[in-house]
Amino acid sequence: MKTKSWADIARHPKFVELHRRKTVFLFGWWAFSTLFYFLLPIGAAYTPGLFKVKVIGNINFGYLFALSQFFVSWGIAIYYARVANQKFDRLTRELVDEFK
């Protein structure tokens, strides 16, 4: 069997579909996480009253929002790992199997 070049693989419909799906998925979550990240400094600058609201004892909304960024990041990472294991890896295996 003739060895395929990288250009052949890049033009293969399954590779194109895999690349498109990953790009759409990653760009969407990148945009969301970037917006969420910049809401903290923007919110603190333009709505300081909201960020000073006491929620629990001395803990205010600003602290909770900053802390939530860690949980959102972890959630996105866990979600990506799940989607990658279920969808992207399956498409990759199908593509590799075709070129064996």
Side-chain angles (χ1 to χ4, degrees), residues 1-62:
M1 181 172 147
K2 183 183 172 197
T3 304
K4 298 282 185 175
S5 70
W6 287 113
D8 293 336
I9 294 170
R11 285 189 300 267
H12 193 279
K14 283 192 179 180
F15 181 81
V16 171
E17 177 66 15
L18 172 64
H19 187 265
R20 185 194 66 75
R21 283 186 181 193
K22 284 183 79 170
T23 300
V24 168
F25 181 85
L26 292 172
F27 181 78
W29 283 106
W30 169 80
F32 169 78
S33 63
T34 301
L35 176 66
F36 192 76
Y37 174 79
F38 282 110
L39 280 176
L40 179 64
I42 292 169
Y46 291 104
T47 60
L50 173 65
F51 278 67
K52 291 178 185 176
V53 171
K54 302 277 187 202
V55 178
I56 304 169
N58 288 333
I59 299 173
N60 61 30
F61 179 76

Side-chain angles (χ1 to χ4, degrees), residues 18 21 25 78-94:
L18 172 64
R21 283 186 181 193
F25 181 85
I78 291 167
Y79 181 63
Y80 172 77
R82 204 165 122 213
V83 170
N85 287 333
Q86 291 174 352
K87 294 181 182 175
F88 302 149
D89 288 354
R90 180 184 48 81
L91 289 171
T92 302
R93 272 191 303 278
E94 290 173 6

